[in-house]
Amino acid sequence: MASVTSLSDNVQQHLASALSATLPEAAGADPLLRRSDRADFQANGILALAKKAKANPRELAAQVVSQVVTGDVIKDVEVSGPGFLNITIADRAITENLAARYADEAGRLGVPYAEQPGTTVIDYAQPNVAKEMHVGHLRSAVIGDSVVQLLEFTGENVVRRHHIGDWGTQFGMLIQYLDEHPHELDHKQSEVSGEEAMSNLDRLYKAARKLFDSDEEFKTRARRRVVDLQAGDPATLAMWQKFVDESKIYFFSVFEKLDMEIRDADIVGESGYNDMLAETCRLLEESGVAVRSEGALCVFFEDIKGPDGNPVPLIVQKSDGGYGYAATDLSAIRDRVFNLKADTLLYVVDARQALHFRMVFETARRAGWLNEDVTAVQLAFGTVLGKDGKPFKTREGETVRLVDLLDEAIDRASAVVREKAQDLSEEEIAERGAQVGIGAVKYADLSTSANRDYKFDLDQMVSLNGDTSVYLQYAYARIQSILRKAGEIRPVARPELDLADAERALGLHLDSFAETVREAATEYAPHKLAAYLYQLASLYTSFYDKCPVLRAETPAQVENRLFLCDVTARTLHRGMALLGIRTPEKL
């Protein structure tokens, strides 16, 4: 089905025609159309046009009004204040527009695809091999997954990349320990759970670290192993692969709990760029982008200086010949631009790494790998805080394990579901508890602008009141209950009916779904979609309170209100899915 023209776009076209008919030199000018408390829409652009044309703004506004075609879409338009236009939409237009969205068999609700889709490589959800995921890993995964959903929904070709930490000096220590204690990971991977896999790795890591710190001879052997690993020694690589595979069992179990799809083919860690590192350094040095300084290969920036006033370089290769994060990240850029043919590189990474990525991106620009046709963006996110406003830690001051956090959210949500449940089995309560609990965690994250810190407060997150996913899920479940109770009566759009104020407000908000999705995708801003959905649920609650559905005055009104309910449910369902959140049929 073709996309549906929104009411705001339709009004915009009417106003543009009226403007150019009144003031030919204003052709193409933006009427500055906005939703308004005083009318359905308000246009504020005439003030600037009048100033430019040295005309009286109220008089010019009156002339524009005389050119506006009213009837099918615009019911009424009047001049307000110094020259604003207050516009009222015809009830029929609201219902007909929603009916067109409702008829979209693809389930897109008339949302158009982007006019010029490109290829975006998005780097998100980057845990470390042989280490447990903690609360700090939550935001990259949740924000990244929602941005993937939004971009794919609008037609972008999205390549997912999980740049896991699977290389470096600690692997020499782990591999050497495993070589000397070969039965530590002696089990079939198909028989081990994610929790057990991480328990095994955690135990192994602690034992290896203890030996590394206390035994100089083992420390020497471990360091030799790092050299063997980097040189590609087959036996060393085979043991390294064991750690990676063991960690993946764990990663997949955590992401499954987060209700996220992580595909093995998309996991390309630091090790995936080993073969490119030497060439990356050679290209940077030969082009003069990087220079040798005290034996290290560095890139310098005039505007980046340390506390002592001296330039802080980006070190691409250390003086001992080893490669740092910069070499890997720059090689990844080359791969993503030249092999994956990306137009946009998007990094969902902690704001504290902003300086590193600023230097990496600038280096890639100087090298010609990033240019006007290829942009790189860090979608920087803030910190998860505890109720005290400080970085979230356990009472013992330890970093909070992500699995523990998710399990507690599910437990709290299950208690809320059990309290409300009337006809749910224990199995259904457990399923709904997981959907509500994980949804609560995701929504709390996504309803906050990514670059801001937010407080992790489970009591608030699983509340039925306020700006929570539970409130939205409950609104959806309530609509499903009404549709079930309606029995044989089907939702039918009735454009001939007048609409109550609460019906109009709901209908106009539903109409702006496509615009909100486009904005959230373009700006990588899931929080804008979350805010839209919360307002939708609030408007639906007001409609539900003021407009009886099954007990409406006439059969036609019952059908039309069921129709409004169903469009709202479909919009909530689609919008929540774009945030990565489930909408249970019953709560």
Side-chain angles (χ1 to χ4, degrees), residues 366-513:
R366 292 180 188 177
W369 305 334
L370 295 177
N371 51 43
E372 290 179 2
D373 298 323
V374 187
T375 55
V377 180
Q378 183 194 359
L379 178 48
F381 56 81
T383 305
V384 181
L385 306 174
K387 289 184 185 179
D388 58 2
K390 297 176 182 175
F392 200 13
K393 303 277 186 186
T394 64
R395 287 178 183 172
E396 295 74 35
E398 299 290 322
T399 304
V400 179
R401 294 192 332 151
L402 184 53
V403 170
D404 293 342
L405 203 72
L406 299 179
D407 285 343
E408 188 179 352
I410 291 168
D411 288 346
R412 296 276 192 97
S414 297
V416 171
V417 172
R418 178 173 279 106
E419 190 180 316
K420 288 280 178 187
Q422 293 174 349
D423 55 351
L424 296 179
S425 66
E426 279 301 310
E427 189 179 342
E428 287 173 319
I429 289 171
E431 183 188 358
R432 302 294 192 282
Q435 292 174 344
V436 172
I438 296 303
V441 171
K442 287 183 175 182
Y443 186 84
D445 193 313
L446 294 170
S447 59
T448 305
S449 176
N451 58 11
R452 291 176 53 198
D453 300 341
Y454 79 96
K455 289 183 182 179
F456 196 95
D457 181 349
L458 273 177
D459 291 329
Q460 172 58 28
M461 287 178 188
V462 299
S463 170
L464 281 166
N465 303 311
D467 190 2
T468 68
S469 68
V470 192
Y471 178 66
L472 305 186
Q473 288 169 322
Y474 187 67
Y476 178 81
R478 173 189 272 172
I479 295 171
Q480 296 309 315
S481 174
I482 291 170
L483 293 171
R484 284 192 298 272
K485 285 176 185 173
E488 297 297 314
I489 308 170
R490 308 312 306 151
V492 179
R494 296 292 186 186
E496 71 277 8
L497 295 180
D498 291 339
L499 298 176
D501 288 345
E503 291 174 302
R504 290 177 54 80
L506 180 62
L508 286 166
H509 190 68
L510 284 164
D511 178 63
S512 60
F513 178 62

Side-chain angles (χ1 to χ4, degrees), residues 255-313:
F255 289 126
E256 186 178 359
K257 188 165 282 194
L258 265 171
D259 198 14
M260 281 174 50
E261 181 194 32
I262 300 290
R263 301 179 299 225
D264 194 48
D266 300 330
I267 299 175
V268 183
E270 295 168 3
S271 64
Y273 306 99
N274 285 342
D275 295 345
M276 300 176 69
L277 300 179
E279 187 182 19
T280 295
C281 291
R282 179 180 63 77
L283 290 169
L284 291 172
E285 191 167 12
E286 285 178 0
S287 63
V289 172
V291 295
R292 293 283 167 185
S293 175
E294 297 177 21
L297 185 64
C298 303
V299 182
F300 289 93
F301 310 86
E302 288 183 10
D303 58 337
I304 300 175
K305 294 183 171 63
D308 56 3
N310 293 323
V312 175

Side-chain angles (χ1 to χ4, degrees), residues 23 50 98 131 140 327 335 365 462 539 566:
L23 204 66
L98 292 182
K131 290 185 181 176
S140 176
D335 177 60
R365 271 191 215 84
V462 299
L539 287 167
D566 206 7

Side-chain angles (χ1 to χ4, degrees), residues 7-8 11 15 32-44 65 73-81 84-91 94 501 504-509 535 539:
L7 290 169
S8 61
V11 171
L15 290 181
L32 298 181
L33 192 68
R34 304 282 184 271
R35 288 299 309 279
S36 170
D37 294 336
R38 305 190 175 204
D40 295 334
F41 292 99
Q42 189 175 74
N44 302 337
V65 167
V73 177
I74 297 175
K75 180 183 178 183
D76 186 41
V77 54
E78 60 181 29
V79 180
S80 167
F84 303 137
L85 298 185
N86 283 348
I87 297 140
T88 303
I89 304 296
D91 287 357
I94 295 172
D501 288 345
R504 290 177 54 80
L506 180 62
L508 286 166
H509 190 68
Q535 192 178 354
L539 287 167

Side-chain angles (χ1 to χ4, degrees), residues 6-8 35-36 40-41 89 94-95 97-98 101 109 111 472 499 501-517 528-541 543 564 567-568 571-572:
S6 69
L7 290 169
S8 61
R35 288 299 309 279
S36 170
D40 295 334
F41 292 99
I89 304 296
I94 295 172
T95 306
N97 188 279
L98 292 182
R101 296 186 182 284
L109 298 161
V111 177
L472 305 186
L499 298 176
D501 288 345
E503 291 174 302
R504 290 177 54 80
L506 180 62
L508 286 166
H509 190 68
L510 284 164
D511 178 63
S512 60
F513 178 62
E515 184 184 337
T516 304
V517 168
K528 293 197 170 183
L529 177 57
Y532 168 89
L533 294 171
Y534 173 60
Q535 192 178 354
L536 177 59
S538 301
L539 287 167
Y540 179 78
T541 300
F543 158 79
L564 284 172
V567 182
T568 301
T571 306
L572 282 169

Side-chain angles (χ1 to χ4, degrees), residues 97-120:
N97 188 279
L98 292 182
R101 296 186 182 284
Y102 189 71
D104 185 349
E105 292 176 0
R108 295 181 58 81
L109 298 161
V111 177
Y113 288 102
E115 290 179 11
Q116 293 180 308
T119 297
T120 295

